[in-house]
Every structure is written in C-alpha cells, then in structure tokens.
Coordinates of all heavy atoms in Angstrom, one line a residue:
M1 N -23.1 12.9 12.1 CA -21.9 12.8 12.9 C -22.2 12.5 14.3 O -23.0 13.1 14.9 CB -21.1 14.1 12.8 CG -20.4 14.3 11.5 SD -19.2 15.7 11.3 CE -19.4 16.6 12.8
G2 N -21.4 11.5 14.8 CA -21.5 11.3 16.2 C -22.7 10.5 16.7 O -22.9 10.2 17.9
R3 N -23.6 10.1 15.8 CA -24.7 9.3 16.1 C -25.0 8.2 15.1 O -24.9 8.5 13.9 CB -26.0 10.2 16.2 CG -26.0 11.1 17.3 CD -27.3 11.7 17.0 NE -27.8 12.6 18.1 CZ -29.0 13.2 17.9 NH1 -29.7 13.0 16.9 NH2 -29.4 14.0 18.9
G4 N -25.2 7.0 15.6 CA -25.6 6.0 14.7 C -24.5 5.6 13.7 O -23.4 5.3 14.1
K5 N -24.8 5.7 12.4 CA -24.0 5.3 11.4 C -22.9 6.3 11.0 O -23.1 7.5 11.0 CB -24.8 4.9 10.1 CG -25.7 3.8 10.4 CD -26.5 3.4 9.1 CE -27.4 2.2 9.4 NZ -28.0 1.7 8.2
F6 N -21.7 5.7 10.6 CA -20.6 6.6 10.1 C -20.9 6.8 8.6 O -21.3 5.9 7.9 CB -19.3 5.9 10.2 CG -18.8 5.7 11.7 CD1 -18.6 4.4 12.1 CD2 -18.6 6.7 12.5 CE1 -18.1 4.2 13.4 CE2 -18.2 6.6 13.8 CZ -17.9 5.3 14.3
S7 N -20.6 8.0 8.2 CA -20.6 8.4 6.8 C -19.4 7.8 6.0 O -18.5 7.3 6.7 CB -20.6 9.9 6.6 OG -19.4 10.4 6.9
E8 N -19.4 7.8 4.7 CA -18.3 7.3 4.0 C -17.0 8.1 4.3 O -15.9 7.6 4.4 CB -18.5 7.4 2.5 CG -19.5 6.4 2.0 CD -19.6 6.4 0.5 OE1 -18.7 6.8 -0.2 OE2 -20.7 6.0 0.0
N9 N -17.2 9.4 4.5 CA -16.0 10.3 4.9 C -15.5 9.9 6.3 O -14.3 9.9 6.5 CB -16.4 11.8 4.8 CG -15.2 12.6 5.0 OD1 -14.2 12.6 4.3 ND2 -15.3 13.5 6.0
D10 N -16.5 9.7 7.2 CA -16.1 9.3 8.6 C -15.3 8.0 8.5 O -14.2 7.9 9.2 CB -17.3 9.1 9.5 CG -18.1 10.3 9.7 OD1 -17.6 11.4 9.6 OD2 -19.3 10.2 10.1
I11 N -15.7 7.0 7.8 CA -15.1 5.7 7.6 C -13.7 5.9 7.1 O -12.7 5.4 7.6 CB -15.9 4.8 6.8 CG1 -17.2 4.4 7.5 CG2 -15.1 3.5 6.4 CD1 -18.2 3.6 6.7
Y12 N -13.5 6.8 6.0 CA -12.2 7.0 5.5 C -11.3 7.6 6.5 O -10.1 7.2 6.6 CB -12.4 8.0 4.3 CG -11.1 8.4 3.7 CD1 -10.3 7.6 2.9 CD2 -10.5 9.7 4.0 CE1 -9.1 8.0 2.4 CE2 -9.3 10.1 3.6 CZ -8.6 9.2 2.7 OH -7.4 9.6 2.2
L13 N -11.8 8.6 7.3 CA -10.9 9.2 8.3 C -10.5 8.2 9.4 O -9.4 8.2 9.8 CB -11.6 10.4 8.9 CG -11.9 11.6 8.0 CD1 -12.8 12.6 8.7 CD2 -10.6 12.3 7.6
L14 N -11.5 7.4 9.8 CA -11.2 6.4 10.9 C -10.2 5.3 10.4 O -9.4 4.9 11.1 CB -12.5 5.8 11.4 CG -13.4 6.8 12.2 CD1 -14.8 6.2 12.4 CD2 -12.7 7.1 13.5
Q15 N -10.4 4.9 9.1 CA -9.5 3.9 8.6 C -8.0 4.3 8.6 O -7.1 3.5 8.6 CB -9.9 3.5 7.1 CG -11.1 2.7 7.1 CD -11.6 2.4 5.6 OE1 -11.4 3.3 4.8 NE2 -12.2 1.3 5.4
N16 N -7.8 5.6 8.5 CA -6.5 6.2 8.4 C -5.9 6.4 9.8 O -4.7 6.9 9.9 CB -6.4 7.4 7.6 CG -6.6 7.1 6.1 OD1 -5.8 6.4 5.6 ND2 -7.7 7.5 5.5
N17 N -6.6 6.1 10.9 CA -6.1 6.2 12.2 C -5.4 4.9 12.6 O -6.0 3.9 12.5 CB -7.2 6.5 13.2 CG -6.7 6.8 14.6 OD1 -5.9 6.0 15.1 ND2 -7.0 7.9 15.2
P18 N -4.1 5.0 13.0 CA -3.4 3.7 13.2 C -4.0 2.9 14.4 O -3.6 1.7 14.6 CB -2.0 4.2 13.5 CG -2.1 5.6 13.9 CD -3.3 6.1 13.2
F19 N -4.8 3.5 15.2 CA -5.4 2.9 16.4 C -6.7 2.2 16.0 O -7.4 1.7 16.9 CB -5.7 3.8 17.5 CG -4.4 4.3 18.2 CD1 -4.1 5.6 18.3 CD2 -3.5 3.4 18.7 CE1 -3.0 6.1 19.0 CE2 -2.4 3.8 19.4 CZ -2.1 5.2 19.5
V20 N -7.1 2.1 14.7 CA -8.3 1.5 14.3 C -7.9 0.2 13.5 O -7.2 0.3 12.5 CB -9.1 2.4 13.4 CG1 -10.3 1.7 12.8 CG2 -9.6 3.6 14.2
D21 N -8.5 -0.9 14.0 CA -8.2 -2.2 13.3 C -9.2 -2.4 12.1 O -8.9 -2.9 11.1 CB -8.3 -3.4 14.2 CG -7.1 -3.6 15.0 OD1 -6.0 -3.0 14.7 OD2 -7.1 -4.4 16.0
D22 N -10.5 -1.9 12.4 CA -11.5 -2.1 11.3 C -12.6 -1.1 11.6 O -12.9 -0.8 12.8 CB -12.0 -3.5 11.3 CG -12.9 -3.8 10.1 OD1 -12.6 -3.2 9.0 OD2 -13.7 -4.7 10.2
V23 N -13.3 -0.7 10.6 CA -14.5 0.2 10.8 C -15.4 0.0 9.6 O -15.0 -0.3 8.5 CB -14.0 1.7 10.9 CG1 -13.4 2.1 9.6 CG2 -15.2 2.6 11.2
N24 N -16.7 0.0 9.9 CA -17.7 0.0 8.9 C -18.8 1.1 9.3 O -18.5 1.8 10.2 CB -18.3 -1.4 8.6 CG -19.0 -1.9 9.9 OD1 -19.7 -1.2 10.6 ND2 -18.9 -3.3 10.0
E25 N -19.9 1.1 8.6 CA -20.8 2.2 8.9 C -21.5 2.2 10.3 O -22.0 3.2 10.8 CB -21.9 2.3 7.8 CG -22.8 1.1 7.8 CD -23.8 1.3 6.6 OE1 -23.6 2.1 5.7 OE2 -24.9 0.6 6.7
V26 N -21.4 1.0 11.0 CA -22.0 0.9 12.3 C -21.1 0.5 13.4 O -21.5 0.6 14.6 CB -23.2 -0.1 12.3 CG1 -24.4 0.4 11.4 CG2 -22.8 -1.4 11.9
R27 N -19.9 0.2 13.1 CA -19.0 -0.4 14.1 C -17.5 0.0 13.9 O -17.1 0.1 12.8 CB -19.1 -1.9 14.1 CG -18.3 -2.6 15.1 CD -18.6 -4.1 15.0 NE -17.7 -4.8 15.9 CZ -17.6 -6.1 15.9 NH1 -18.3 -6.9 15.1 NH2 -16.7 -6.7 16.7
I28 N -16.8 0.2 15.0 CA -15.4 0.5 15.0 C -14.7 -0.4 15.9 O -15.2 -0.7 17.0 CB -15.1 2.0 15.3 CG1 -13.6 2.3 15.2 CG2 -15.7 2.4 16.7 CD1 -13.3 3.8 15.3
I29 N -13.6 -1.0 15.4 CA -12.8 -1.9 16.2 C -11.5 -1.3 16.5 O -10.7 -1.0 15.5 CB -12.6 -3.3 15.5 CG1 -14.0 -4.0 15.3 CG2 -11.7 -4.2 16.4 CD1 -14.0 -5.2 14.6
Y30 N -11.2 -1.0 17.7 CA -10.0 -0.3 18.1 C -8.9 -1.3 18.3 O -9.1 -2.4 18.7 CB -10.2 0.5 19.4 CG -11.3 1.5 19.3 CD1 -12.6 1.2 19.8 CD2 -11.1 2.8 18.8 CE1 -13.6 2.1 19.7 CE2 -12.1 3.7 18.8 CZ -13.4 3.4 19.2 OH -14.4 4.3 19.2
S31 N -7.6 -0.9 18.0 CA -6.5 -1.8 18.2 C -6.2 -2.0 19.7 O -6.6 -1.2 20.6 CB -5.2 -1.2 17.6 OG -4.8 -0.1 18.3
D32 N -5.6 -3.1 20.0 CA -5.2 -3.4 21.4 C -4.2 -2.4 21.9 O -4.3 -2.0 23.1 CB -4.6 -4.8 21.4 CG -5.6 -5.9 21.2 OD1 -6.8 -5.7 21.4 OD2 -5.1 -7.1 20.9
E33 N -3.4 -1.8 21.0 CA -2.5 -0.8 21.4 C -3.2 0.4 21.9 O -2.8 1.1 22.9 CB -1.6 -0.4 20.2 CG -0.6 -1.4 19.8 CD -1.2 -2.5 18.9 OE1 -2.3 -2.4 18.4 OE2 -0.5 -3.5 18.7
F34 N -4.4 0.8 21.2 CA -5.1 1.9 21.7 C -5.8 1.7 23.0 O -5.8 2.5 23.9 CB -6.2 2.3 20.6 CG -7.0 3.5 21.1 CD1 -6.4 4.7 21.4 CD2 -8.4 3.4 21.4 CE1 -7.1 5.8 21.9 CE2 -9.1 4.5 21.8 CZ -8.5 5.7 22.1
K35 N -6.3 0.5 23.2 CA -6.9 0.1 24.5 C -5.9 0.3 25.6 O -6.2 0.8 26.7 CB -7.5 -1.3 24.4 CG -8.7 -1.4 23.4 CD -9.1 -2.8 23.3 CE -10.1 -3.0 22.1 NZ -10.4 -4.4 21.9
T36 N -4.7 -0.2 25.4 CA -3.6 -0.1 26.4 C -3.2 1.4 26.6 O -3.1 1.8 27.7 CB -2.4 -0.9 25.9 OG1 -2.8 -2.3 25.8 CG2 -1.3 -0.8 27.0
F37 N -3.1 2.1 25.5 CA -2.8 3.6 25.6 C -3.9 4.3 26.4 O -3.6 5.1 27.2 CB -2.7 4.1 24.1 CG -2.6 5.6 24.0 CD1 -1.4 6.2 24.1 CD2 -3.8 6.4 23.8 CE1 -1.3 7.6 24.0 CE2 -3.7 7.7 23.6 CZ -2.5 8.4 23.8
F38 N -5.1 3.9 26.1 CA -6.3 4.5 26.7 C -6.2 4.3 28.2 O -6.3 5.2 29.0 CB -7.6 4.0 26.2 CG -8.8 4.6 26.9 CD1 -9.4 5.7 26.4 CD2 -9.3 4.0 28.0 CE1 -10.5 6.3 27.1 CE2 -10.4 4.5 28.7 CZ -11.0 5.7 28.2
M39 N -6.0 3.0 28.6 CA -6.0 2.7 30.1 C -4.8 3.4 30.8 O -4.9 3.8 31.9 CB -6.0 1.2 30.3 CG -7.3 0.5 30.0 SD -8.7 1.3 30.9 CE -8.2 1.3 32.6
Q40 N -3.6 3.5 30.1 CA -2.5 4.1 30.8 C -2.8 5.6 31.1 O -2.6 6.1 32.2 CB -1.3 4.1 29.9 CG -0.7 2.7 29.8 CD 0.4 2.6 28.7 OE1 0.5 3.4 27.8 NE2 1.2 1.5 28.8
K41 N -3.4 6.3 30.1 CA -3.8 7.7 30.3 C -4.9 7.8 31.3 O -4.9 8.7 32.1 CB -4.2 8.3 28.9 CG -3.2 8.3 27.9 CD -2.1 9.2 28.2 CE -1.1 9.3 27.0 NZ 0.1 10.0 27.4
Y42 N -5.9 6.9 31.2 CA -7.1 7.0 32.1 C -6.6 6.8 33.6 O -7.1 7.5 34.4 CB -8.1 5.9 31.7 CG -9.4 6.0 32.5 CD1 -10.3 7.0 32.2 CD2 -9.6 5.2 33.6 CE1 -11.5 7.1 33.0 CE2 -10.7 5.3 34.3 CZ -11.7 6.2 34.0 OH -12.8 6.3 34.8
K43 N -5.7 5.9 33.8 CA -5.2 5.6 35.2 C -4.5 6.9 35.7 O -4.4 7.0 36.9 CB -4.3 4.4 35.2 CG -5.1 3.1 35.0 CD -4.2 1.9 35.2 CE -3.0 1.9 34.4 NZ -2.2 0.7 34.4
R44 N -4.0 7.7 34.8 CA -3.3 8.9 35.3 C -4.3 10.1 35.5 O -3.8 11.2 35.8 CB -2.3 9.3 34.2 CG -1.1 8.3 34.2 CD 0.0 8.8 33.2 NE 0.9 7.8 33.0 CZ 1.4 7.4 31.8 NH1 1.0 8.0 30.7 NH2 2.3 6.5 31.8
G45 N -5.6 9.8 35.3 CA -6.6 10.8 35.6 C -7.1 11.6 34.4 O -7.8 12.5 34.5
E46 N -6.6 11.2 33.2 CA -7.1 11.9 32.0 C -8.5 11.5 31.6 O -8.9 10.4 31.9 CB -6.2 11.7 30.8 CG -4.8 12.3 31.0 CD -3.9 12.2 29.8 OE1 -4.4 12.3 28.7 OE2 -2.7 11.9 30.0
K47 N -9.3 12.4 31.1 CA -10.7 12.2 30.7 C -10.7 11.4 29.4 O -9.9 11.6 28.5 CB -11.4 13.5 30.6 CG -11.5 14.1 32.0 CD -12.4 15.3 31.9 CE -12.4 16.1 33.2 NZ -13.3 15.6 34.2
P48 N -11.7 10.5 29.2 CA -11.8 9.7 28.0 C -11.8 10.5 26.7 O -11.1 10.2 25.8 CB -13.1 9.0 28.2 CG -13.3 8.8 29.7 CD -12.7 10.1 30.2
T49 N -12.6 11.6 26.6 CA -12.6 12.3 25.4 C -11.3 12.9 25.1 O -10.9 12.9 23.9 CB -13.7 13.5 25.5 OG1 -15.0 12.8 25.7 CG2 -13.8 14.3 24.2
E50 N -10.5 13.4 26.1 CA -9.2 14.0 25.8 C -8.2 12.9 25.3 O -7.4 13.1 24.5 CB -8.7 14.6 27.1 CG -9.4 15.9 27.5 CD -9.4 16.9 26.3 OE1 -8.4 17.2 25.7 OE2 -10.5 17.5 26.0
I51 N -8.4 11.7 25.9 CA -7.5 10.6 25.4 C -7.8 10.3 24.0 O -6.9 10.1 23.2 CB -7.7 9.3 26.3 CG1 -7.4 9.7 27.8 CG2 -6.9 8.2 25.8 CD1 -7.8 8.6 28.8
F52 N -9.0 10.2 23.6 CA -9.4 9.9 22.2 C -8.8 11.0 21.3 O -8.3 10.8 20.2 CB -10.9 9.8 22.0 CG -11.4 8.4 22.3 CD1 -11.7 8.0 23.5 CD2 -11.8 7.6 21.2 CE1 -12.2 6.7 23.8 CE2 -12.3 6.3 21.4 CZ -12.5 5.9 22.7
K53 N -8.9 12.3 21.7 CA -8.4 13.4 20.9 C -6.9 13.2 20.7 O -6.4 13.4 19.6 CB -8.7 14.7 21.6 CG -10.1 15.2 21.5 CD -10.2 16.6 22.2 CE -11.6 17.1 22.2 NZ -11.7 18.4 22.9
K54 N -6.2 12.9 21.8 CA -4.7 12.7 21.7 C -4.3 11.6 20.8 O -3.2 11.6 20.2 CB -4.1 12.4 23.1 CG -4.0 13.6 24.0 CD -3.4 13.2 25.3 CE -3.3 14.5 26.2 NZ -2.7 14.2 27.5
A55 N -5.2 10.6 20.6 CA -5.0 9.5 19.7 C -5.4 9.8 18.3 O -5.4 8.9 17.4 CB -5.7 8.3 20.2
G56 N -5.8 11.0 18.0 CA -6.2 11.4 16.7 C -7.6 11.2 16.3 O -8.0 11.3 15.1
F57 N -8.5 10.9 17.2 CA -9.9 10.8 16.9 C -10.6 12.1 17.1 O -10.3 12.9 18.0 CB -10.5 9.7 17.9 CG -10.1 8.3 17.7 CD1 -9.1 7.8 18.5 CD2 -10.6 7.6 16.6 CE1 -8.7 6.5 18.4 CE2 -10.1 6.3 16.5 CZ -9.2 5.7 17.3
D58 N -11.6 12.3 16.2 CA -12.5 13.5 16.3 C -13.7 13.0 17.2 O -14.6 12.2 16.7 CB -12.9 13.9 15.0 CG -13.8 15.2 15.0 OD1 -14.3 15.5 16.0 OD2 -14.0 15.7 13.9
P59 N -13.9 13.6 18.4 CA -15.0 13.2 19.2 C -16.4 13.5 18.5 O -17.4 12.8 18.8 CB -14.8 14.0 20.5 CG -13.4 14.3 20.5 CD -13.0 14.4 19.1
K60 N -16.4 14.4 17.6 CA -17.7 14.8 16.9 C -18.1 13.6 16.0 O -19.3 13.4 15.8 CB -17.5 16.1 16.2 CG -17.4 17.3 17.0 CD -17.3 18.5 16.2 CE -17.1 19.7 17.1 NZ -16.8 20.9 16.3
I61 N -17.1 12.9 15.5 CA -17.4 11.8 14.6 C -17.9 10.6 15.4 O -18.9 9.9 15.1 CB -16.2 11.4 13.7 CG1 -15.9 12.5 12.7 CG2 -16.4 10.0 13.0 CD1 -14.7 12.3 11.9
L62 N -17.2 10.3 16.5 CA -17.5 9.2 17.4 C -18.7 9.4 18.2 O -19.5 8.5 18.3 CB -16.3 8.9 18.3 CG -15.0 8.5 17.6 CD1 -13.9 8.3 18.6 CD2 -15.2 7.2 16.8
G63 N -18.9 10.6 18.7 CA -20.0 10.8 19.6 C -19.7 10.5 21.1 O -18.9 9.6 21.3
S64 N -20.2 11.2 22.0 CA -19.9 11.0 23.4 C -20.3 9.7 23.9 O -19.6 9.1 24.7 CB -20.5 12.2 24.2 OG -22.0 12.1 24.1
K65 N -21.5 9.2 23.5 CA -21.9 7.9 24.0 C -21.0 6.7 23.5 O -20.7 5.8 24.3 CB -23.4 7.6 23.5 CG -24.4 8.3 24.3 CD -24.4 7.8 25.7 CE -25.5 8.5 26.5 NZ -25.3 8.3 27.9
R66 N -20.6 6.8 22.3 CA -19.6 5.7 21.8 C -18.3 5.8 22.6 O -17.8 4.7 23.0 CB -19.4 5.9 20.3 CG -18.6 4.8 19.7 CD -18.5 5.0 18.2 NE -19.6 4.3 17.5 CZ -20.4 4.9 16.7 NH1 -20.2 6.2 16.4 NH2 -21.4 4.3 16.1
I67 N -17.9 7.0 22.9 CA -16.6 7.1 23.8 C -16.9 6.6 25.2 O -16.1 5.8 25.7 CB -16.2 8.5 23.8 CG1 -15.6 8.9 22.4 CG2 -15.1 8.8 24.8 CD1 -15.3 10.4 22.2
E68 N -18.0 7.0 25.8 CA -18.3 6.5 27.1 C -18.5 5.0 27.2 O -18.0 4.4 28.1 CB -19.7 7.2 27.6 CG -19.6 8.6 27.9 CD -21.0 9.2 28.2 OE1 -21.9 8.5 28.5 OE2 -21.1 10.4 28.0
R69 N -19.1 4.4 26.2 CA -19.3 3.0 26.3 C -18.0 2.2 26.1 O -17.8 1.2 26.7 CB -20.3 2.6 25.2 CG -21.7 3.0 25.5 CD -22.7 2.6 24.5 NE -24.0 3.1 24.8 CZ -24.8 3.7 23.9 NH1 -24.5 3.8 22.6 NH2 -26.0 4.1 24.2
A70 N -17.2 2.7 25.2 CA -15.9 2.0 25.0 C -15.0 2.1 26.3 O -14.4 1.2 26.7 CB -15.1 2.7 23.8
A71 N -15.0 3.3 26.9 CA -14.3 3.5 28.1 C -14.8 2.6 29.2 O -14.0 2.0 29.9 CB -14.3 5.0 28.5
A72 N -16.1 2.5 29.3 CA -16.6 1.6 30.3 C -16.2 0.1 30.1 O -15.9 -0.6 31.0 CB -18.2 1.7 30.4
R73 N -16.3 -0.3 28.8 CA -15.9 -1.7 28.5 C -14.5 -2.0 28.9 O -14.1 -3.0 29.4 CB -16.1 -2.0 27.0 CG -17.5 -2.3 26.6 CD -17.5 -2.9 25.2 NE -16.7 -2.2 24.2 CZ -17.1 -1.1 23.5 NH1 -18.3 -0.6 23.7 NH2 -16.3 -0.5 22.6
W74 N -13.6 -1.0 28.5 CA -12.2 -1.2 28.7 C -11.8 -1.1 30.2 O -11.0 -1.8 30.7 CB -11.4 -0.2 27.9 CG -11.6 -0.3 26.5 CD1 -12.1 -1.4 25.8 CD2 -11.4 0.7 25.5 NE1 -12.2 -1.2 24.5 CE2 -11.8 0.1 24.2 CE3 -11.0 2.0 25.5 CZ2 -11.7 0.8 23.0 CZ3 -11.0 2.7 24.3 CH2 -11.3 2.1 23.1
R75 N -12.5 -0.3 31.0 CA -12.3 -0.3 32.4 C -12.7 -1.6 33.0 O -11.9 -2.1 33.9 CB -13.1 0.9 33.1 CG -12.5 2.2 32.9 CD -13.2 3.3 33.7 NE -14.6 3.3 33.6 CZ -15.3 4.2 32.8 NH1 -14.7 5.0 32.0 NH2 -16.6 4.1 32.8
E76 N -13.8 -2.1 32.6 CA -14.2 -3.4 33.1 C -13.2 -4.5 32.8 O -12.9 -5.4 33.6 CB -15.6 -3.8 32.6 CG -16.7 -3.0 33.2 CD -18.1 -3.3 32.6 OE1 -18.2 -4.4 31.9 OE2 -19.0 -2.5 32.7
S77 N -12.8 -4.5 31.5 CA -11.8 -5.5 31.1 C -10.5 -5.4 31.9 O -9.9 -6.3 32.3 CB -11.5 -5.3 29.6 OG -12.6 -5.7 28.9
Y78 N -10.1 -4.1 32.1 CA -8.9 -3.9 32.9 C -9.0 -4.4 34.3 O -8.1 -5.1 34.8 CB -8.6 -2.4 32.9 CG -7.3 -2.0 33.7 CD1 -6.1 -2.2 33.2 CD2 -7.5 -1.6 35.0 CE1 -4.9 -1.9 34.0 CE2 -6.3 -1.3 35.8 CZ -5.1 -1.5 35.3 OH -4.0 -1.2 36.0
E79 N -10.1 -4.1 34.9 CA -10.4 -4.5 36.3 C -10.4 -6.1 36.4 O -10.1 -6.6 37.4 CB -11.6 -3.9 36.9 CG -11.4 -2.4 37.1 CD -12.7 -1.7 37.4 OE1 -13.8 -2.3 37.5 OE2 -12.7 -0.4 37.5
A80 N -10.9 -6.7 35.3 CA -11.0 -8.2 35.3 C -9.7 -8.8 34.9 O -9.5 -10.0 34.9 CB -12.1 -8.6 34.3
G81 N -8.7 -8.0 34.6 CA -7.3 -8.5 34.3 C -7.1 -8.8 32.8 O -6.1 -9.5 32.5
F82 N -8.0 -8.4 31.9 CA -7.9 -8.7 30.5 C -7.1 -7.6 29.7 O -6.7 -7.9 28.6 CB -9.3 -8.9 29.9 CG -10.0 -10.1 30.4 CD1 -11.2 -9.9 31.1 CD2 -9.5 -11.4 30.3 CE1 -11.9 -11.0 31.7 CE2 -10.2 -12.4 30.8 CZ -11.4 -12.3 31.5
L83 N -7.0 -6.5 30.3 CA -6.2 -5.4 29.7 C -5.1 -5.0 30.6 O -5.2 -5.1 31.8 CB -7.1 -4.1 29.4 CG -8.0 -4.1 28.2 CD1 -8.8 -2.8 28.2 CD2 -7.3 -4.3 26.9
R84 N -4.0 -4.5 30.0 CA -2.9 -4.1 30.9 C -2.9 -2.6 31.0 O -3.2 -1.8 30.2 CB -1.6 -4.5 30.3 CG -1.4 -6.0 30.3 CD 0.0 -6.3 29.9 NE -0.1 -7.7 29.3 CZ 0.9 -8.2 28.7 NH1 2.0 -7.5 28.5 NH2 0.9 -9.4 28.2

C-alpha cells in the first residue's frame, strides 16, 4: 500500500472513485474535474493530503510521494495557465 504498484483491491477501490479516469497497477489518471477541485481547495490553503481525503481517496493507498508529485504537477500546470 502506498508504494509502487497498486494491488487488485486498490485498483478496484480507485476505479470506483468518480475522480479517477483510469488506473492500473502502476498508474492512476485523475479526472480534469478532480484537478480543478484540487486547485480550488489548494488555493484556499488546504493541504494536498486533506484534499485527496475529501475527494474520497485513501492516502495510505496512494502514498505521500504520489500525492506530493501530483500536487506539484498540477501547481505547475496551473501557474502555466493549463489548469483553472
């Protein structure tokens, strides 16, 4: 959990989150709606892990590094004008 590959159970749980477009054992693709939701909350001062929790994600499944990296990518995209 939270490192490297997702288990079959992790994949099942993630597939049932409406903010997930696709997931396999090594990768998760978040919906554009989630990225927008994330940035709105982040701009208000909420912490990335808390935002993921509010969206129904289990941080233990994702792991802190995966959350940190996604947050960093989305902040960069937002600053470059690619996310709203």
Side-chain angles (χ1 to χ4, degrees):
M1 282 190 352
R3 289 183 172 180
K5 295 184 178 184
F6 293 120
S7 70
E8 286 185 29
N9 187 57
D10 295 340
I11 292 170
Y12 174 78
L13 293 172
L14 291 166
Q15 284 174 331
N16 287 298
N17 185 308
F19 288 126
V20 173
D21 280 346
D22 193 28
V23 62
N24 61 37
E25 65 181 20
V26 295
R27 183 175 171 189
I28 182 168
I29 299 174
Y30 303 96
S31 69
D32 289 340
E33 291 83 11
F34 178 62
K35 295 172 190 176
T36 300
F37 171 83
F38 178 90
M39 286 310 303
Q40 288 171 345
K41 301 287 184 189
Y42 185 79
K43 289 187 305 186
R44 292 184 188 133
E46 294 186 36
K47 296 187 185 275
T49 300
E50 291 304 314
I51 300 168
F52 273 80
K53 284 181 186 177
K54 284 182 180 182
F57 291 102
D58 182 347
K60 291 179 184 175
I61 291 174
L62 297 177
S64 61
K65 281 294 179 194
R66 188 175 270 125
I67 291 171
E68 288 173 23
R69 289 179 185 138
R73 278 193 315 274
W74 300 337
R75 283 191 307 264
E76 288 176 18
S77 291
Y78 178 80
E79 291 168 6
F82 296 115
L83 283 179
R84 293 186 209 172

